[in-house]
Amino acid sequence: MNFAFLIELAWKSALCAGLTLLVLSLLRGRSAAERSRLAHAGLLVVLLLPLSLLLVPAFDVAAPNPVAAVMAAPVAEPAADAAPAADAQPIAAPGLDADLVAGLLLGVPALLLALTTLLAVFRLHRLRARSNVLVDAVWLSALAAMQSRYGFKHGTALLVSTELASPISWGVMRPVILLDRRAVDKASEAEAVIAHELAHVARLDWAKLLMGRAATALFWFNPLVWILAARCHELREEAADDAVLRSDVARADYAELLIGVARHENRGLLLAANGVAPARGSLKRRVMRVLDPTQSRVPARLGWTIACAAGALLVNAPLAAFTIVGDATERAPATPQPPAVSRAVAEALIRASRDGDVVALRQLLDTGASADAEVRGEGSPLIAAARAGQAEAAVLLLARGADIDRPVQGDGNPLIAAAAAGRLDMVRLLVARGADIETMTASDENALMQASLRGRADVVRYLIAEGADVNSRSGARTPLVMARMGGHPDIERILREAGAGP
């Protein structure tokens, strides 16, 4: 964890949550069920952002000049000849690790919020253990009828408790509807209450509720995420209301039920459950919706769900990959473009380099073909030779002027390609010829990161011995992170022994 990663999480989560809220406002004419699917797709994108930032290859974009100037501005240092004040005393800099501070800044509030949710879930289990099975014929009949209507293949526990103010429901695999004594006495409301709570169960709303809690815990610092999570909660309740009305419950009767139970609202934060009772601030809105005959109440169809999932994927991947850097040359050094050559000639150069066909390679270079010709997806001749471990071809290309550090988008550069392929002899050759160990390329990081990702222990040891920075960073990626992503604990151990952390 580092401050750069924290800042990246902040602006990307804000962008995603804000975009979702904007689209929801533009689709006010859609039903609550449809907008709920859209809202939760956006919330899921936000929740998956930290993982996506680690797994999706980075695509670096240089900041606009004024922004880049600020990002790259050096810290002013006092003049060398400036005399210190006579009474000035040296002050020891506090030994705080910036990454540790960033981790604590994000993690401590997130942990406290997560613990609150865990306590709420624990309370639900305690409530269930102290509750009694409801045997009232009217309520059991309503439950059976609604389960048949929703097509449930499994039963739902129907319990009664003296510790509640109004009905609630929770659970996914073993769902529970828990009623209070006051609700049980109003048998006329049984069908509406059961329909509402079973709608939550059928739509897996408890899992969505926990997803919202997880998102607000992780992104506690982002008000837009809190607003989106609250909007998701509102839409879940509205969609459940619509499900009740589709079951032929009269609008006026259901509005009267909402008004009645609103006086007995449960403390939702301490319960982590869905409930029919409106929150104090939502009663008017929900009653107005229930009584409005023009509201669309259609359920979310499969096509709409697929569209929301596809939209979430299309937003998540580019958003995770997109990274603003202060100076693009830090990541992909600008080099002169090679003379234009036909694709056929470039492919022939790359093929000869990969195969180690020095005779054909020399003939192509003698005709004037550039040693730095490139083909996107295949790299350059030197990258191909490095990846295949063709030392003789690499020496010839370097002698003919090939740029030893030249990157090709998506293919890294020669040293990165050799490190990723585990070609230790080629890595030694390129370093001996002056290759820059720390060169960072867009989406391919640097040689140490690629070697760590692919488990090339001998290459990792050699690069560290040659002075490679074990804490080099590309967005949220470091050699240690890459080793974890690749599942190489031996590489993690090598890096930690060399000082990688935290």
Side-chain angles (χ1 to χ4, degrees):
M1 177 61 63
N2 58 84
F3 280 106
F5 186 55
L6 192 58
I7 292 171
E8 194 170 6
L9 274 182
W11 76 262
K12 288 185 177 181
S13 61
L15 179 63
C16 186
L19 180 62
T20 304
L21 291 168
L22 175 62
V23 175
L24 284 173
S25 69
L26 296 176
L27 297 178
R28 286 188 296 269
R30 291 282 186 173
S31 70
E34 291 172 326
R35 286 181 291 139
S36 178
R37 292 283 169 88
L38 175 63
H40 285 90
L43 191 65
L44 183 60
V45 171
V46 171
L47 189 58
L48 293 178
L49 265 178
L51 183 62
S52 301
L53 289 176
L54 295 176
L55 297 181
V56 177
F59 179 77
D60 298 332
V61 176
N65 288 339
V67 178
V70 172
M71 293 172 70
V75 179
E77 297 182 359
D81 56 352
D87 58 347
Q89 298 293 326
I91 301 176
L96 291 178
D97 183 278
D99 289 349
L100 177 61
V101 172
L104 292 174
L105 185 63
L106 177 67
V108 171
L111 180 61
L112 292 175
L113 289 170
L115 286 175
T116 301
T117 298
L118 287 176
L119 288 173
V121 172
F122 176 73
R123 186 186 174 196
L124 290 178
H125 286 287
R126 293 290 304 276
L127 276 173
R128 175 170 183 163
R130 294 195 296 265
S131 300
N132 299 314
V133 176
L134 183 63
V135 293
D136 185 281
V138 175
W139 284 92
L140 291 177
S141 176
L143 177 64
M146 287 302 161
Q147 285 188 148
S148 176
R149 181 183 183 90
Y150 287 118
F152 273 30
K153 303 295 183 183
H154 53 78
T156 301
L158 185 59
L159 309 175
V160 61
S161 171
T162 58
E163 301 178 47
L164 284 180
S166 62
I168 60 172
S169 63
W170 73 90
V172 176
M173 301 302 295
R174 300 172 61 190
V176 175
I177 296 177
L178 187 57
L179 305 174
D180 60 292
R181 282 293 179 186
R182 186 200 62 83
V184 173
D185 294 337
K186 293 192 173 183
S188 60
E189 298 177 351
E191 184 178 344
V193 171
I194 293 295
H196 183 98
E197 300 303 343
L198 272 186
H200 282 309
V201 173
R203 290 161 42 84
L204 303 179
D205 280 350
W206 192 62
K208 296 173 186 175
L209 183 152
L210 295 182
M211 182 175 74
R213 295 284 181 88
T216 52
L218 186 59
F219 296 92
W220 58 267
F221 51 85
N222 192 330
L224 287 177
V225 174
W226 285 85
I227 294 172
L228 178 58
R231 190 73 186 107
C232 286
H233 176 73
E234 292 170 1
L235 289 169
R236 287 195 299 270
E237 294 301 331
E238 291 174 5
D241 291 341
D242 292 346
V244 174
L245 298 180
R246 288 198 303 271
S247 66
D248 300 327
V249 173
R251 291 197 301 272
D253 292 344
Y254 187 59
E256 184 178 349
L257 182 153
L258 290 179
I259 294 171
V261 297
R263 294 192 296 269
H264 308 281
E265 177 192 359
N266 291 303
R267 300 181 66 184
L269 183 65
L270 298 180
L271 280 174
N274 300 298
V276 68
R280 300 291 180 181
S282 67
L283 175 61
K284 180 179 179 181
R285 186 191 70 254
R286 285 179 63 184
V287 170
M288 294 287 288
R289 281 194 77 260
V290 166
L291 295 176
D292 185 357
T294 66
Q295 286 285 335
S296 173
R297 306 190 194 279
V298 299
R301 305 296 182 188
L302 179 61
W304 178 263
T305 302
I306 293 174
C308 290
L313 181 63
L314 290 174
V315 169
N316 180 268
L319 186 63
F322 181 83
T323 302
I324 298 176
V325 295
D327 185 358
T329 58
E330 295 176 2
R331 308 291 291 277
T335 54
Q337 293 297 315
V341 297
S342 70
R343 182 181 179 90
V345 172
E347 289 178 343
L349 281 165
I350 291 171
R351 186 166 52 253
S353 301
R354 183 185 63 235
D355 297 341
D357 189 345
V358 178
V359 174
L361 182 59
R362 183 177 288 109
Q363 289 174 348
L364 288 166
L365 294 172
D366 287 343
T367 63
S370 171
D372 281 328
E374 62 183 56
V375 176
R376 186 65 62 86
E378 297 184 41
S380 66
L382 189 53
I383 289 175
R387 187 180 290 131
Q390 300 292 353
E392 191 175 357
V395 170
L396 175 59
L397 289 164
L398 290 170
R400 294 298 185 94
D403 185 343
I404 197 168
D405 291 320
R406 185 177 189 84
V408 175
Q409 178 69 37
D411 293 289
N413 70 5
L415 183 61
I416 293 172
R423 305 287 185 180
L424 180 58
D425 290 342
M426 182 60 68
V427 171
R428 292 178 185 275
L429 171 64
L430 292 170
V431 172
R433 292 299 184 101
D436 185 355
I437 293 178
E438 302 299 344
T439 295
M440 197 79 72
T441 64
S443 78
D444 292 292
E445 289 75 43
N446 64 13
L448 183 58
M449 291 188 190
Q450 282 297 319
S452 300
L453 175 66
R454 298 172 189 274
R456 314 299 189 186
D458 52 351
V459 175
V460 169
R461 290 191 184 93
Y462 173 76
L463 291 172
I464 292 174
E466 289 295 319
D469 182 4
V470 294
N471 290 307
S472 57
R473 189 176 298 281
S474 173
R477 299 168 183 83
T478 65
L480 202 56
V481 169
M482 301 295 271
R484 288 185 192 133
M485 288 170 57
H488 304 297
D490 56 327
I491 303 296
E492 289 188 58
R493 185 169 55 257
I494 294 170
L495 292 167
R496 288 197 181 280
E497 288 174 355

